[in-house]
Amino acid sequence: MPTDTDNALLGIEDAQAYLGNTTATTAINDGVCDLINAVSWRFNAETGRKLKSRTYTEIYDGNGKSDMYLNNWPLSSTTITITINSDRVFTSTGDQVTSTDIMLSTESGRVRLDGYYFDSGTKNVQVAYSAGYTTSSSYDLTFAAKEFLLVLWNRKTAKEPTNMRTEAYEGISRTFEPEFPWSVKKILDMYRDGRAY
């Protein structure tokens, strides 16, 4: 199975190198691709965000103010198109705010209009932008993905037990697999906690 290029936080070459696989067969590559997808989707689920950089086109309610926060952050490009139209028709370039009138806080995804306002209304603002992390800029996230990939690889190849844990208290017993390694959990907590305001 190929890697999900929209979500994959690692490339197959980096993953194979980190796992120490120097002679990868098609079956091994397919297995590693499956694990890359599992790690990437699990990180998205744990943080409640789509972490990898991608392009969005979203519709917002105008708030009557000069600034608003986009749904996704950090902004991975300063190229942004904002169209404000009370009829919700976003095809006219005459309704677009020029880039010289837009100020961006890339880390938080905050957009501020210089001399303009997001007209109050329901679904009257369209924003096209790119947001998320690249593997070349988020070293900690990339390393956490490699660490968790290694854990899953070792479980898959039986190099390490699944570390099942059982707890019993007052006649109730539960068995579970521990979450992430501590170092991975701490990194994901930083990406989950919210915006850099």
Side-chain angles (χ1 to χ4, degrees):
M1 169 184 276
T3 56
D4 176 359
T5 55
D6 290 337
N7 292 289
L9 298 171
L10 299 171
I12 185 71
E13 297 82 15
D14 285 343
Q16 292 287 29
Y18 192 77
L19 296 174
N21 293 338
T22 55
T23 56
T25 64
T26 301
I28 290 174
N29 279 342
D30 288 348
V32 172
C33 286
D34 288 345
L35 294 178
I36 290 170
N37 292 336
V39 167
S40 302
W41 276 96
R42 179 76 187 271
F43 279 24
N44 286 348
E46 287 293 323
T47 60
R49 302 172 56 191
K50 293 178 181 173
L51 295 168
K52 186 174 179 184
S53 179
R54 66 192 73 216
T55 301
Y56 296 92
T57 299
E58 299 174 334
I59 306 295
Y60 293 85
D61 293 340
N63 59 13
K65 299 178 182 177
S66 63
D67 65 334
M68 71 168 33
Y69 286 93
L70 300 175
N71 292 331
N72 300 283
W73 74 96
L75 300 179
S76 54
S77 171
T78 56
T79 301
I80 187 168
T81 304
I82 299 174
T83 309
I84 303 172
N85 185 293
S86 60
D87 295 325
R88 297 175 204 81
V89 178
F90 304 110
T91 55
S92 172
T93 57
D95 294 328
Q96 290 181 354
V97 179
T98 60
S99 60
T100 56
D101 296 320
I102 302 171
M103 294 176 283
L104 302 173
S105 297
T106 56
E107 282 301 309
S108 65
R110 180 178 176 223
V111 177
R112 183 179 173 129
L113 302 181
D114 186 21
Y116 292 91
Y117 294 90
F118 292 102
D119 297 341
S120 294
T122 304
K123 305 207 180 300
N124 63 328
V125 177
Q126 180 183 31
V127 183
Y129 65 102
S130 295
Y133 300 94
T134 62
T135 54
S136 62
S137 66
S138 56
Y139 300 113
D140 57 347
L141 185 61
T142 302
F143 186 73
K146 288 178 180 178
E147 278 203 36
F148 193 51
L149 176 77
L150 181 60
V151 167
L152 296 180
W153 177 256
N154 285 342
R155 288 178 189 165
K156 178 182 171 84
T157 58
K159 292 180 184 172
E160 148 182 324
T162 58
N163 295 325
M164 297 302 279
R165 182 172 165 186
T166 301
E167 292 180 350
Y169 181 73
E170 293 185 1
I172 298 173
S173 175
R174 66 183 185 148
T175 302
F176 59 94
E177 181 178 11
E179 289 294 321
F180 300 104
W182 180 85
S183 58
V184 173
K185 182 178 179 341
K186 294 312 269 181
I187 289 169
L188 289 179
D189 286 346
M190 291 188 310
Y191 285 86
R192 180 185 303 116
D193 286 344
R195 301 175 194 262
Y197 288 103

